[in-house]
């Protein structure tokens, strides 16, 4: 696997990964995180991915590729935090989106992309890396970030038409 910087030409690959993750979550009956519709079929989420891949001044898109060049993971980082995160008084690198090919679950793609984000923070002289994730149900996703070395900080809720979406902000200090 190699990790490279992505751009506008990679929008379709990132959307395909996200659509695959939604299908996988739906197959497990876990629709609370990202719903039951593909990202590519929802205008707002598809636009978010286009924004990530087209705005290199704000977002850095890093892609994990298999030996054959297939994109198997994507991580989007920014020095701008998610709107649900508590504002901090220092520079930070915020993981805005992290997704991997679910058929390769357990192969270390996510861990490699997080390690790459930590290296990017070091290159920029940043000592705080944060991420937020879905925290409802059994908190499995929070547990995955804990295994990667993150520490939970703030919890938050976002009102949705079908009830609150609960999230957790986590951080690593370098």
């Amino acid at each position: 696997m190699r990790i490279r910087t992505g751009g506008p030409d990679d929008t379709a690959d990132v959307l395909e990964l996200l659509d695959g993750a939604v299908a996988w979550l739906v197959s497990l009956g876990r629709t609370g995180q990202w719903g039951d519709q593909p990202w590519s079929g929802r205008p707002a989420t598809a636009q978010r991915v286009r924004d990530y891949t087209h705005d290199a001044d704000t977002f850095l898109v890093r892609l994990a590729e298999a030996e054959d060049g297939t994109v198997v993971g994507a991580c989007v980082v920014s020095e701008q935090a998610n709107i649900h995160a508590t504002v901090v008084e220092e520079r930070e690198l915020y993981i805005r989106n992290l997704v991997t090919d679910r058929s390769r679950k357990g192969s270390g793609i996510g861990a490699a992309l997080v390690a790459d984000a930590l290296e990017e923070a070091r290159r920029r002289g940043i000592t705080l890396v944060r991420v937020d994730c879905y925290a409802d149900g059994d908190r499995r996703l929070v547990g995955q970030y804990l295994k990667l070395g993150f520490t939970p900080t703030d919890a938050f809720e976002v009102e949705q038409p079908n009830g609150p979406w609960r999230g957790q902000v986590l951080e690593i200090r370098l």
Side-chain angles (χ1 to χ4, degrees), residues 8-146:
D9 293 342
D10 299 300
T11 303
D13 286 330
V14 176
L15 281 168
E16 185 176 327
L17 287 170
L18 290 162
D19 287 352
V22 169
W24 177 74
L25 288 165
V26 167
S27 76
L28 299 174
R30 300 173 69 94
T31 59
Q33 181 176 341
W34 282 341
D36 61 2
Q37 299 300 308
W39 278 56
S40 61
R42 293 181 281 156
T45 56
Q47 183 60 49
R48 188 178 323 153
V49 173
R50 280 190 290 282
D51 292 346
Y52 291 158
T53 58
H54 285 75
D55 184 358
D57 291 334
T58 306
F59 304 107
L60 174 64
V61 179
R62 299 287 282 168
L63 302 175
E65 290 184 331
E67 288 182 16
D68 66 0
T70 303
V71 175
V72 295
C75 182
V76 179
V77 297
S78 176
E79 289 192 39
Q80 296 178 357
N82 185 322
I83 62 170
H84 306 296
T86 303
V87 175
V88 294
E89 299 297 322
E90 63 186 292
R91 279 181 72 203
E92 69 177 310
L93 197 64
Y94 204 96
I95 298 174
R96 300 291 297 268
N97 192 291
L98 177 66
V99 63
T100 62
D101 179 340
R102 300 318 306 154
S103 71
R104 298 169 190 258
K105 183 180 173 214
S107 61
I109 298 165
L113 286 165
V114 167
D116 182 70
L118 298 177
E119 266 316 299
E120 180 64 25
R122 287 183 186 98
R123 280 192 290 277
R124 295 182 185 200
I126 296 173
T127 59
L128 175 63
V129 176
R130 294 196 301 165
V131 65
D132 65 71
C133 68
Y134 182 66
D136 229 343
D138 58 11
R139 297 177 57 88
R140 269 177 57 184
L141 191 51
V142 173
Q144 291 299 314
Y145 283 110
L146 294 174

